[in-house]
Amino acid sequence: MINAIIDLYTKADIEGLSSKLLRSSRWQQHHFTAMGALQAQPLWLSFLAQYGVSECVSHTHSVGAERETLQLVLQPKKLKNPVRLTFVIKHNGTFIKSVKCVVDTLSLANNEYVNTTVNNSSVIPKLPKSDPIIVSDLDNQLHPTTFHATPSAICELPSHTARTLDNWWQIWQTNNLAQFETLYTPSATAVLAGNTQPQPISTLLDCHLDFTQSLSRRYAQLETVEYDSTQNQATLCWTLDGSFNVKNVRVRQQIISVISISDNQITHEVMQFDTLALNQQFAL
């Protein structure tokens, strides 16, 4: 499965990946859900047509109980700078059941074509029409006893890892920003949307604060949690709901966080979300 996805971008092997999808397989990308290869192929072909076949600069792979995580840093032949793609894959060994793919569209929008004077705006990816969605407005004051899921509640984890991930989740669910001081190692790094290189962990705090300024009445909710015990690495798919202050519209940002842990502290975190898909889905 992993090689089929890599070959799609490095060899334009459409047939190889298509053969792994059933008609009931879900491929989610750019906030759009494609069912089966026939609906997923236009997403793949659009990327190849705009940016060309890519060289794989780096890739990391982790295996959880139900899903695998693949992180690719690709250097498309038509672009000057690389772009990151993150996949969370569920399969049965023969066929893919579902894929959640997050393309760093912000790094695409900030990119440039090689050997051309074409305006940079043309680098912005051609996005499909997003899935229709109505984001509910959860008022915690109206539901004071509601249980809010934590990583350890939905995934079997070693006790120390469970404590670390639950504390990490409090940063986003309850704005416990003091966790940045104790939860991360002094040399911890983060990779956020718009960058392929590790940055100081302070950039993650800045990202959180940016969300607090642009979104009011925020609510973070977990979707899936996978843990690779051999690498001590967790992958969390989650959403951040909020009211976009400028337009007063309720939005939902889909996020994948990949967290590396050592001695009960976080050493590296990748946080990926599709900025342009969010802007299109909610007309921001």
Side-chain angles (χ1 to χ4, degrees):
M1 304 301 171
I2 301 304
N3 289 336
I5 293 176
I6 295 175
D7 288 348
L8 167 68
Y9 295 97
T10 59
K11 300 179 181 178
D13 187 358
I14 300 289
E15 179 59 30
L17 186 54
S18 296
S19 66
K20 304 293 185 183
L21 269 65
L22 301 171
R23 283 188 291 180
S24 59
S25 301
R26 294 185 296 110
W27 185 287
Q28 188 181 51
Q29 182 174 325
H30 302 310
H31 295 199
F32 165 75
T33 304
M35 299 300 295
L38 287 179
Q39 291 187 10
Q41 283 182 6
L43 297 173
W44 309 337
L45 290 168
S46 177
F47 187 95
L48 293 170
Q50 277 192 271
Y51 312 121
V53 173
S54 301
E55 175 189 350
C56 184
V57 177
S58 67
H59 78 275
T60 59
H61 174 222
S62 61
V63 180
E66 296 186 6
R67 296 168 181 84
E68 300 183 25
T69 303
L70 173 65
Q71 299 181 78
L72 296 179
V73 176
L74 301 176
Q75 178 57 67
K77 288 186 177 180
K78 294 183 180 181
L79 298 181
K80 291 184 178 180
N81 300 311
V83 60
R84 177 179 290 270
L85 291 81
T86 303
F87 304 83
V88 178
I89 310 146
K90 185 175 184 179
H91 64 87
N92 62 8
T94 304
F95 296 105
I96 290 174
K97 295 182 177 181
S98 66
V99 173
K100 179 186 284 288
C101 170
V102 172
V103 181
D104 186 1
T105 52
L106 189 59
S107 66
L108 287 174
N110 294 331
N111 222 311
E112 296 181 26
Y113 282 113
V114 176
N115 300 325
T116 182
T117 57
V118 176
N119 189 287
N120 288 356
S121 63
S122 63
V123 181
I124 295 176
K126 297 178 175 65
L127 303 180
K129 185 177 181 180
S130 303
D131 297 336
I133 184 174
I134 298 176
V135 182
S136 61
D137 189 353
L138 176 66
D139 189 337
N140 290 326
Q141 291 180 329
L142 298 179
H143 305 277
T145 61
T146 297
F147 171 74
H148 303 285
T150 60
S152 63
I154 63 175
C155 180
E156 186 174 345
L157 299 165
S159 58
H160 293 302
T161 302
R163 190 177 304 112
T164 299
L165 291 179
D166 286 349
N167 288 337
W168 169 85
W169 185 236
Q170 295 307 308
I171 292 174
W172 298 98
Q173 194 170 65
T174 64
N175 294 320
N176 189 354
L177 302 185
Q179 296 285 4
F180 275 104
E181 188 68 26
T182 59
L183 194 57
Y184 293 85
T185 64
S187 59
T189 55
V191 176
L192 303 178
N195 290 287
T196 57
Q197 297 299 319
Q199 305 291 320
I201 206 64
S202 58
T203 59
L204 190 59
L205 172 60
D206 292 340
C207 176
H208 186 290
L209 295 174
D210 287 343
F211 276 132
T212 66
Q213 296 305 298
S214 59
L215 298 176
S216 59
R217 302 200 314 277
R218 296 173 306 283
Y219 180 65
Q221 184 169 349
L222 287 168
E223 291 184 338
T224 62
V225 179
E226 296 292 335
Y227 175 66
D228 186 332
S229 59
T230 60
Q231 301 186 54
N232 206 9
Q233 185 177 88
T235 300
L236 302 96
C237 296
W238 56 289
T239 60
L240 183 64
D241 296 357
S243 296
F244 190 67
N245 293 328
V246 175
K247 292 197 172 185
N248 194 29
V249 59
R250 196 76 177 160
V251 303
R252 172 171 293 165
Q253 180 65 280
Q254 301 176 19
I255 302 171
I256 297 178
S257 294
V258 183
I259 298 173
S260 300
I261 301 171
S262 178
D263 295 328
N264 306 323
Q265 285 187 299
I266 298 174
T267 58
H268 183 66
E269 181 172 343
V270 177
M271 180 179 177
Q272 291 294 290
F273 44 87
D274 192 331
T275 305
L276 299 190
L278 177 78
N279 293 346
Q280 173 182 274
Q281 185 172 29
F282 297 101
L284 303 181

